[in-house]
Amino acid sequence: MRAIWNDTVLAESNDTVVVEGNHYFPAEALVREHFRDSDRHTSCPWKGTASYYDVVVGEAVNAGAAWYYPAPKEAAKEIAGRVAFWKGVQVIN
């Protein structure tokens, strides 16, 4: 699977975990130069508190387009150390 935004590969892996229709990529699959920490956080009753990354390609910024659970709840332990995408990031095979 590949995560792509603005014609740029953000992550690539054959080892994704699908939860609620989202592919969670291993953190080591990310092309780190395209990610910066965000102050955004949200909460899910069964997964826990999500943290976000802004996706950066050249001068373009897609704020909060990637998220992860630094300490997922037990029910979501399979997504520990993984990152998912939204906001126009395409995930293709």
Side-chain angles (χ1 to χ4, degrees):
M1 301 300 297
R2 285 183 289 159
I4 299 172
W5 185 67
N6 275 11
D7 298 321
T8 301
V9 175
L10 305 175
E12 188 167 8
S13 178
N14 290 324
D15 174 29
T16 64
V17 172
V18 180
V19 174
E20 296 180 325
N22 297 301
H23 284 267
Y24 284 78
F25 288 75
E28 59 272 9
L30 273 58
V31 181
R32 287 286 174 180
E33 69 192 67
H34 297 302
F35 296 84
R36 71 176 182 210
D37 290 332
S38 168
D39 290 335
R40 182 178 182 174
H41 299 281
T42 57
S43 181
C44 172
W46 71 274
K47 289 181 287 206
T49 300
S51 295
Y52 289 77
Y53 292 120
D54 295 337
V55 173
V56 182
V57 175
E59 298 294 315
V61 177
N62 193 344
W67 77 89
Y68 63 99
Y69 290 85
K73 292 183 176 182
E74 182 65 24
K77 64 183 178 184
E78 71 274 10
I79 59 172
R82 294 177 176 271
V83 179
F85 300 92
W86 69 319
K87 294 181 75 175
V89 176
Q90 295 179 315
V91 176
I92 60 173
N93 195 355

